[in-house]
Structures are given as structure tokens and as C-alpha cells.
């Protein structure tokens, strides 16, 4: 049997680009082991968003990193080589993301600080306008600010992926214009399939793809349909995205909160962050890790070829990481200063 035949039969990598532990120091990091599967898996875990400051995020990272390192089912990773090693060892590879630039507290040098602590993806804004740009719930989105453009250049220089999820339409388009490296929508569904303000337009998806980036279809019921977090609903959005930009620019990302009950309670208590378009269907239904693990089989049953299944399940996000993370490593190696 040839090496090529063996390789084609190896299960593909699963890449979960965004999920959420409870944002407290003693959250159960062992829940991430639910993503274990043949072929390996990578998980990006949120470590903060709009309400959080630098100290909040560094405190969480200090606690979580230690306990992840102590769990033999999990592996902290800094490179795609680390991810491949974790896959061979049967471990879940773990890195982190920031769902808003607010935790920088206006200090661009902190992009490097968070990168050194394992953060590999950052959103400029979360739902509403901040110092970097507009949010998806703003009535008017004026796009990236001068600070937001400087932030994108810093993300590129450090080797952190710029993410348009939760941003306004204009801000997301600006993100793709300014970035010199691939941009992602880590956890966003398609507005043409379900008209929700958190979903992205076809133009946003096309501009993201033009950067070499990836749209991660997310498993949140209210973004997939009328609170429908089924695999079938997820695949409807995948189908549309694939028809629009090709299978090489589509991925999956559940946005699953492991503290689902507490999260839904918080939504009800925070109308300033989560208006009626989040709460009108009652408690939000989310696709858990176990649901995400079934997507591979559903795509095959729908006739997706093996290379497309592997790309959507994880290969596309891995490609972006290999390009963006390596860019930051190369800049560090040659002593390049941050781009302002």
C-alpha cells in the first residue's frame, strides 16, 4: 500500500476556531477533551471580550494555561507543527482568541503580550462600536478607525489572525482591505440564508476569501435559523458559502459556551449587549462538540469530495494559521519591529 493511499485514508483534522469556557479562572478546562477524535483536533478558546481589561485576560490565561498543561489529553500550542504533534499523540491542541480589542486598553504593544500567552486570533470590535471600529448591531457602521487600522497592521506584524466576526459590515470590509494577510470570520453564518444582523453578507464572504481567508460557519441556533442548532441547519449555511467562495474558504466553528445555562441567563440580564434579536426565541440553542463531530459524515453523505471535507473540517483554518502565525515567527526571527 502506498504512502499516498495511507494518507488519503487518515481522518482529517478538526479545527474548532471559537468556543467559550466560563470566563472565570477555575473554569473546567477538561471540557475541551470533548473534541478528541481520530485525525486530531484544534480548539481556539475565548479569553475575553468587550467587558474585560488586560488584567482580566492575563489572569485567566495564567490559570487556564497551567491546568491545560497539566491535563494529558490537552496540549498548548504555538505553531502548526505543535498542532500536528498533538494530533499524532491523540491530544486536543489548544490556543486562544480575544473576541474584542478592548482588553488591549488602547495599547498596541499588548498584542505582542497576548500573542506570547497563546492568543492567536483577535476581533477589533464586539457588536457595537469601540475605539477600533463598528459592530454588527450598530445602526451606522463607519468602518475601522485610524486606531483600528493600526491594530490590523500590528496583528499582521505579530502573527495574530484578524477576525471580522461581530464587526459591522463596513468594518469587516475595511479589515480585508487593510490586512496584508488572510482574514477570517471565525464564527459567522450567512445572511443570505438567515437574515440576522450577526450574520455576514455575501460581499463580506467574498472579500474575506480574496485575502485567502476562511468563513467559519457557527453552530448558534439564532444565527443558523429560528433557534435551530441542528447539523442540517449548519450544512445549509456551509452549502451557500461553498457555492459562493469555494470549499477552500469555508470552515466550522461552534461558538459553543460550556456554561450554556449561565450564558443564557446573562443574555437576559444584559440587554445593552444582547437586544431582542438575541433573545426573542428564548434560551439560545448551541451545537455542542458532539454535534460538530458529526459534520464530517453529513458532508460526505451530501456528496462533498474527500478533499473538500478535509478542507472545511480543518484544513482551511490550518492553512491560514500556517501563513499568519509563521509571518509573526519570521518577523521575530529577523528582529522586525511592529508595524504601526
Amino acid at each position: 500500500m502506498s504512502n499516498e493511499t495511507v494518507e488519503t485514508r487518515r481522518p482529517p483534522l478538526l479545527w474548532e476556531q471559537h468556543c467559550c469556557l466560563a470566563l472565570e479562572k477555575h473554569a473546567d478546562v477538561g471540557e475541551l477533551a470533548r473534541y478528541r477524535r481520530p485525525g486530531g483536533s484544534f480548539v481556539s478558546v475565548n479569553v475575553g471580550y468587550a467587558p474585560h481589561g488586560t488584567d482580566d485576560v492575563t489572569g485567566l490565561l495564567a490559570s487556564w494555561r497551567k491546568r491545560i498543561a497539566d491535563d494529558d489529553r490537552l496540549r498548548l500550542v504555538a505553531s502548526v507543527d505543535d498542532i500536528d504533534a498533538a494530533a499524532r499523540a491523540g491530544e486536543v491542541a489548544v490556543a486562544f482568541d480575544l473576541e474584542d480589542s478592548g482588553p488591549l486598553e488602547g495599547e498596541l504593544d499588548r498584542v505582542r503580550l497576548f500573542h506570547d500567552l497563546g492568543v492567536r486570533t483577535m476581533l477589533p470590535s464586539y457588536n457595537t462600536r469601540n475605539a477600533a471600529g463598528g459592530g454588527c448591531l450598530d445602526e451606522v457602521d463607519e468602518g475601522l478607525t485610524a486606531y483600528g487600522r493600526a491594530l490590523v497592521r500590528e496583528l499582521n506584524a505579530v502573527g495574530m489572525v484578524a477576525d471580522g466576526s461581530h464587526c459591522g459590515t463596513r468594518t469587516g470590509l475595511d479589515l480585508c482591505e487593510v490586512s496584508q494577510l488572510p482574514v477570517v470570520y471565525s464564527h459567522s453564518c450567512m445572511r443570505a440564508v438567515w437574515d440576522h444582523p450577526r450574520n455576514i453578507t455575501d460581499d463580506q464572504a467574498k472579500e474575506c476569501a480574496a485575502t485567502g481567508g476562511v468563513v467559519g460557519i457557527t453552530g448558534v441556533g439564532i444565527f443558523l435559523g429560528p433557534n435551530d442548532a441542528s447539523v442540517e441547519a449548519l450544512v445549509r449555511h456551509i452549502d451557500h458559502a461553498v457555492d459562493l467562495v469555494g470549499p477552500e474558504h469555508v470552515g466550522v466553528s461552534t461558538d459553543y459556551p460550556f456554561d450554556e445555562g449561565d450564558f443564557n441567563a446573562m443574555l437576559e440580564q444584559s440587554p445593552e449587549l444582547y437586544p431582542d434579536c438575541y433573545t426573542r426565541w428564548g434560551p439560545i440553542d448551541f451545537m455542542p462538540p458532539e454535534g460538530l463531530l458529526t459534520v464530517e459524515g453529513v458532508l460526505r453523505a451530501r456528496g462533498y469530495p474527500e478533499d473538500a471535507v478535509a478542507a472545511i473540517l480543518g484544513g482551511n483554518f490550518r492553512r491560514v494559521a500556517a501563513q499568519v502565525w509563521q509571518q509573526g515567527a519570521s518577523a521575530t526571527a529577523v528582529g522586525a519591529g511592529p508595524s504601526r
Side-chain angles (χ1 to χ4, degrees), residues 13-19 34-37 41-44 216-220 229-231 234-235 238 251-256 258 286-299 309 312-314 317:
L13 173 73
L14 175 68
W15 191 289
E16 163 69 288
Q17 182 52 50
H18 179 76
C19 69
R34 290 166 63 181
Y35 289 98
R36 293 176 83 182
R37 66 183 298 281
S41 54
F42 166 85
V43 179
S44 181
I217 302 300
T218 192
V220 180
S230 66
V231 174
L234 186 88
V235 172
I238 290 175
V252 290
S253 179
T254 64
D255 196 10
Y256 180 69
F258 287 93
F286 296 89
M287 178 177 292
E290 293 76 14
L292 187 64
L293 296 178
T294 69
V295 171
E296 178 182 358
V298 174
L299 291 176
V309 172
I312 294 166
L313 205 68
F317 274 128

Side-chain angles (χ1 to χ4, degrees), residues 53-73:
T54 300
D55 290 346
D56 298 320
V57 174
T58 56
L60 280 177
L61 284 166
S63 176
W64 291 3
R65 286 178 62 86
K66 181 181 186 304
R67 287 183 295 115
I68 289 168
D70 289 342
D71 191 321
D72 60 10
R73 300 167 298 174

Side-chain angles (χ1 to χ4, degrees), residues 209 212-215 242 245-251 308 311-312 315-317 319-320:
V214 180
V215 175
V242 167
V245 297
E248 66 272 23
H249 297 292
V250 181
I312 294 166
N316 293 330
F317 274 128
R319 181 193 72 241
V320 169

